Amino acid sequence: MLKKLFLIVLAFTAVSFASAQPKNADKIVAILGENIILNSDVDGQYAQYLAQGAKDNGDLKCQILESLLSQKMLQNQAKVDSLEISEQQVEDELNRRVKYFISQIGSQDKLEQFIGKSILEFKDELREDVRAVIMAQNMQQEITRKITVTPNEIKKFYEEIPRDSLPFFNKEVQVGVITKKPKISAKAKQEAKDKLEALRVRVANGEDFATLAILYSQDGSAKSGGELGFVGRGELVKAFEAVAFKLRPGELSAVVETEFGFHIVQLIERRGEQVNVRHILIKVNYDYADMLAAKHELDSVYNLISTNQMTFADAAMKFSDDESTKHSGGMMLNPQDGSTKIPTDQLDPSIFFQIDNMKVGDVSMPTAYKTQAGEQAYRLVKFIAKTEPHKANLTDDYIKIQQAALTSKQNKEVEKWFSKKRTQTYIRINEEFSSCEKLQPWINESAKRAK
């Protein structure tokens, strides 16, 4: 715990270092066009890298300065090209960062106490830096937008990798699923809604919302009185969000339905485009008959597949209730690269243990499980293929090698762009960085300008 707290302290030191440094005493370490890079900019990122566990082999600050120079050059070009950055992009990235810090320190209140300012003030402090980073990223994407690789280029890229440098991949599998959720009866929905309506009346009559949430809510937030903490637009399911952002402080919503069940919502506080609400969730209970009907329906699908009347892929597209897989013929996708090959250590544990007792090509009987939303459902699982641990090769790893070849070609295009821009831009780098190997292309251009 002590080590974790130390890392959090370092991270916040990095975030606030530049703003805390007296600008009149800060040293300029580099000039690029009309932009300056300060010593505090380098030191701030240096502290952040150390907080993330990076090791300094003597050139970490050189790498940081090179990154800052590249970022400034990309930002300059983005402004010249009038590349648009939406406020939503900036807000989403700010929210992502704040959520990370909250997850590390424990709660929003602890975070605000730790940094000595509100979340809104903290985000405002970070906003322009985040906007600059996104602008640079978007400019780099624009430079490489039209880059593609041909099959010959992929083959050549692979053949140029030394055999002893080929990456090693662990066991991977390809798995298909067909999901069937029980149809919710009108009676079950009405019972859940009536239960929540009764709780709503109790709150309206003066009972404490938080206490009732602790006692009755079926959401994970129940233990904190139903409070969710500050969230921005796009972070909640649509129906819930639409209600939350219309409420006034203290106001109680009508019953609202989402894919999780039924809710009542109360606004605690709103800060700009963020709200802090508490809610009570009542989930719809499936009748045994509803679950049995879903299983029987999937039994029929299994029979169609096992008697070769329909392929697994066609059955998934026609019958599956899983929107994330049905349009790919039931194939589960690797979230890292979008391929259908999933490392076994990244596979849903319940599916891993299920296919562990299956042969390639087998389709399971309907099995009960819980969806990510906590719903009861049944699914068929097909063990489509497996790849044993191996060194990278074009047969088993074509998509991975294709992506690596594309990235390599994009990096070369970006470096070509930088080489050209360096000749057209005024660059000056402080002498203390003159021995940095990574900075030599920038230093050489700086030396030419000085002559």
Side-chain angles (χ1 to χ4, degrees):
M1 181 65 191
L2 184 61
K3 181 180 179 182
K4 182 177 178 181
L5 182 60
F6 173 70
L7 294 179
I8 294 170
V9 170
L10 268 179
F12 281 114
T13 301
V15 167
S16 58
F17 189 92
S19 59
Q21 184 85 358
K23 297 298 178 186
N24 59 348
D26 208 351
K27 182 169 63 175
I28 295 173
V29 294
I31 301 172
L32 189 144
E34 297 179 355
N35 300 284
I36 62 170
I37 297 173
L38 300 172
N39 191 56
S40 60
D41 296 326
V42 176
D43 284 347
Q45 288 204 17
Y46 182 75
Q48 190 171 9
Y49 277 112
L50 294 181
Q52 294 169 350
K55 303 291 184 184
D56 184 2
N57 296 320
D59 68 343
L60 183 53
K61 287 192 176 183
C62 298
Q63 294 178 42
I64 291 170
L65 182 53
E66 182 200 25
S67 175
L68 289 170
L69 286 164
S70 299
Q71 185 176 307
K72 294 291 185 186
M73 189 166 278
L74 288 164
Q75 289 165 19
N76 284 349
Q77 191 62 42
K79 291 175 183 176
V80 170
D81 293 351
S82 300
L83 207 62
E84 293 186 4
I85 309 297
S86 72
E87 286 302 318
Q88 191 60 52
Q89 277 182 286
V90 178
E91 191 66 27
D92 288 348
E93 177 60 18
L94 285 167
N95 289 336
R96 186 192 68 78
R97 294 189 183 199
V98 168
K99 283 178 73 173
Y100 169 76
F101 285 131
I102 289 174
S103 71
Q104 294 298 300
I105 207 165
S107 71
Q108 180 173 316
D109 287 341
K110 288 180 180 178
L111 174 58
E112 291 184 326
Q113 183 179 1
F114 185 81
I115 60 180
K117 60 192 73 175
S118 71
I119 294 296
L120 275 183
E121 291 171 327
F122 185 51
K123 285 171 65 176
D124 284 342
E125 186 177 283
L126 295 177
R127 190 172 300 276
E128 289 311 309
D129 285 341
V130 167
R131 187 191 308 279
V133 169
I134 294 174
M135 188 179 292
Q137 290 172 343
N138 287 5
M139 187 63 232
Q140 184 162 334
Q141 289 170 6
E142 185 65 22
I143 295 167
T144 61
R145 182 168 53 88
K146 296 181 181 179
I147 302 294
T148 59
V149 284
T150 66
N152 283 339
E153 287 176 314
I154 297 168
K155 185 172 183 290
K156 184 173 184 291
F157 173 82
Y158 171 74
E159 290 173 346
E160 289 177 349
I161 302 174
R163 299 301 92 179
D164 58 357
S165 298
L166 286 170
F168 188 85
F169 295 121
N170 292 325
K171 182 178 178 180
E172 297 174 316
V173 294
Q174 291 175 288
V175 178
V177 292
I178 299 176
T179 297
K180 186 54 62 178
K181 300 174 184 177
K183 292 180 174 62
I184 303 171
S185 68
K187 179 185 174 184
K189 290 181 71 171
Q190 192 59 49
E191 286 175 353
K193 191 173 181 181
D194 289 345
K195 184 176 181 179
L196 195 59
E197 190 60 59
L199 292 172
R200 185 182 184 281
V201 170
R202 290 172 65 176
V203 174
N205 288 337
E207 291 193 52
D208 183 59
F209 191 115
T211 300
L212 292 177
I214 292 170
L215 292 173
Y216 299 107
S217 181
Q218 295 173 300
D219 185 62
S221 62
K223 60 186 177 183
S224 58
E227 186 172 347
L228 297 181
F230 280 93
V231 291
R233 292 189 185 275
E235 295 184 61
L236 301 166
V237 293
K238 289 183 179 179
F240 191 103
E241 179 181 286
V243 169
F245 276 86
K246 286 180 181 177
L247 295 173
R248 295 185 296 274
E251 186 180 1
L252 185 65
S253 76
V255 174
V256 56
E257 182 180 2
T258 72
E259 55 261 47
F260 296 97
F262 291 95
H263 315 250
I264 52 173
V265 187
Q266 186 179 54
L267 179 65
I268 300 171
E269 184 182 355
R270 178 165 180 169
R271 298 177 182 173
E273 287 302 290
Q274 284 197 313
V275 292
N276 184 13
V277 298
R278 57 172 64 96
H279 78 123
I280 295 173
L281 167 68
I282 299 297
K283 297 179 179 179
V284 179
N285 292 320
Y286 300 108
D287 292 333
Y288 175 73
D290 297 331
M291 290 294 293
L292 198 58
K295 182 179 183 300
H296 285 164
E297 190 173 350
L298 214 49
D299 280 333
S300 299
V301 175
Y302 175 82
N303 288 333
L304 289 172
I305 296 168
S306 62
T307 57
N308 297 319
Q309 296 180 61
M310 184 174 282
T311 66
F312 189 93
D314 287 343
M317 288 188 280
K318 185 171 183 179
F319 298 112
S320 183
D321 291 333
D322 186 345
E323 291 297 324
S324 67
T325 61
K326 68 180 295 180
H327 301 294
S328 60
M331 294 283 281
M332 297 180 67
L333 300 180
N334 185 333
Q336 303 297 322
D337 60 15
S339 73
T340 58
K341 292 185 176 182
I342 305 173
T344 52
D345 60 352
Q346 295 177 25
L347 196 63
D348 179 330
S350 64
I351 290 182
F352 173 80
F353 287 116
Q354 189 168 356
I355 67 170
D356 197 41
N357 296 313
M358 295 168 63
K359 296 177 182 177
V360 171
D362 283 354
V363 177
S364 73
M365 296 290 287
T367 306
Y369 82 107
K370 278 192 175 183
T371 68
Q372 288 186 337
E375 302 170 298
Q376 291 288 341
Y378 280 92
R379 70 184 169 202
L380 301 178
V381 175
K382 181 174 182 179
F383 190 2
I384 297 170
K386 67 177 177 180
T387 306
E388 296 297 342
H390 64 283
K391 278 194 172 184
N393 63 77
L394 283 171
T395 302
D396 296 320
D397 310 298
Y398 188 84
I399 290 178
K400 295 185 182 75
I401 296 167
Q402 178 186 42
Q403 185 56 53
L406 177 61
T407 300
S408 175
K409 189 173 179 180
Q410 289 173 333
N411 289 341
K412 289 175 182 175
E413 185 65 25
V414 170
E415 185 48 47
K416 189 193 303 181
W417 183 88
F418 276 121
S419 295
K420 180 180 177 182
K421 291 297 176 183
R422 281 194 290 262
T423 65
Q424 302 169 352
T425 308
Y426 176 80
I427 302 168
R428 190 70 182 232
I429 297 174
N430 194 292
E431 286 186 4
E432 70 180 273
F433 289 92
S434 61
S435 61
C436 291
E437 185 179 343
K438 278 189 167 292
L439 287 171
Q440 290 311 306
W442 303 84
I443 292 169
N444 292 341
E445 202 57 49
S446 173
K448 289 178 188 176
R449 297 273 174 178
K451 291 179 182 178

